[in-house]
Amino acid sequence: MDQGGTLPDDFADTDAHMRADASPRYLALARSLRAEIESGKYPVGSKIPTEMELCKQFGASRHTVRAAIERLVRLELIKRTPRVGTIVTAARAKQGYELAVGQVGDLLQYAATTRMHVLSRDLREVGNDADPVLHPYQGQLWLVIRGVRTGDGADAPICYNEVWVHPDYRGVRGAEQDIEASVFHLIEQQFNVAVSRIEQVIHAAALPPDIAELLKVPPGTAGLWINRQYRDSSGNLIEMAWSVHPAERFSYRMVLDRTWRSAPPSHSGG
């Protein structure tokens, strides 16, 4: 049993804004612990420090530490064993990538921690066969950037990317080669525009041969297709992007917090 004083809780006595700011921290803790496991600091069969010890080491709340540990459990690096502790079960994480999303900033963080290898860049006229999102722009020349995205330590691509950039921003520089973050990061930096809203649609479908080859999987493999529309504060479309993932390499986790409001005061007499 952990001994010591009361630990702070990220969700106690904080408002929604503070919780949003704190939410990405567990990812940093998980990455640090993962790096330490993969470097051999905690060999297979050994125990990682207790929650209390990790809270002290990182100066973090128990809630944050638990979320980081749970992430490592899902990566099959560690296993919780009652009355024994948390045991390291693998020297490397299983292949794959989990995207945990609770706010726009989490998607931006995902882009910042992966790399896009650009395969092609060309101007393409929006035609009748374009995605329905682009139908209002038929006849316009949009910049289309194709590539594959990889993550830290991944042996195979996380996904295939196809990005359609609005003509206003098709002069974006830095998208001719590997991109450290994302195309919309480059647009924001060069055109003084900010992504204020991201609309997202997800569906499942088999991977066609050309995309399957890029992702190093057999044709017909189950895939997760994600369409994202990046808009400015006025709702204008900045870019539309497709991310196509092999199902076994990607999971999508979303946490929705409900904001509780107190009941309105009663006006009845009594």
Side-chain angles (χ1 to χ4, degrees), residues 91-155:
R92 290 189 63 82
K94 69 175 183 178
Q95 288 298 317
Y97 195 95
E98 179 189 74
L99 177 57
V101 174
Q103 56 180 332
V104 169
D106 294 330
L107 283 178
L108 306 186
Q109 178 70 13
Y110 160 70
T113 55
T114 59
R115 175 194 299 264
M116 179 179 176
H117 173 61
V118 176
L119 300 172
S120 67
R121 169 187 168 127
D122 57 87
L123 293 178
R124 195 177 305 177
E125 181 176 334
V126 178
N128 293 327
D129 58 344
D131 188 276
V133 172
L134 299 177
H135 283 179
Y137 309 95
Q138 288 190 36
Q140 296 181 6
L141 286 179
W142 283 51
L143 172 65
V144 180
I145 302 168
R146 297 173 58 254
V148 290
R149 187 168 291 277
T150 57
D152 295 338
D155 297 328

Side-chain angles (χ1 to χ4, degrees), residues 29 35 42 58 86 90-91 98 159 168 171 194 226:
L29 269 63
Y42 302 113
F58 288 100
T86 303
E98 179 189 74
C159 68
D168 288 1
I226 304 177

Side-chain angles (χ1 to χ4, degrees), residues 150-169:
T150 57
D152 295 338
D155 297 328
I158 296 171
C159 68
Y160 164 79
N161 276 156
E162 184 171 302
V163 182
W164 289 68
V165 179
H166 190 281
D168 288 1
Y169 312 110

Side-chain angles (χ1 to χ4, degrees), residues 168-247:
D168 288 1
Y169 312 110
R170 69 188 193 195
V172 62
R173 300 181 304 276
E176 304 85 5
Q177 51 196 358
D178 285 5
I179 303 173
E180 292 291 342
S182 66
V183 175
F184 68 78
H185 274 105
L186 297 175
I187 293 173
E188 287 185 321
Q189 293 168 4
Q190 297 173 31
F191 293 91
N192 194 31
V193 63
V195 173
S196 297
R197 189 177 77 215
I198 301 175
E199 300 174 15
Q200 180 170 269
V201 178
I202 304 174
H203 74 272
L207 302 181
D210 56 339
I211 294 180
E213 182 179 1
L214 291 173
L215 297 177
K216 302 179 182 179
V217 295
T221 295
L224 188 66
W225 299 65
I226 304 177
N227 178 285
R228 296 190 181 102
Q229 303 153 40
Y230 298 81
R231 299 182 182 273
D232 64 19
S233 58
S234 298
N236 300 312
L237 186 62
I238 298 173
E239 74 168 62
M240 184 201 75
W242 277 103
S243 297
V244 185
H245 302 263

Side-chain angles (χ1 to χ4, degrees), residues 7-26 29 59-67:
L7 292 172
D9 189 310
D10 285 344
F11 290 93
D13 300 323
T14 57
D15 60 21
H17 175 71
M18 292 176 67
R19 292 199 299 271
D21 287 345
S23 62
R25 191 178 182 202
Y26 79 92
L29 269 63
S61 73
R62 181 169 288 179
H63 173 84
T64 298
V65 167
R66 283 178 177 171

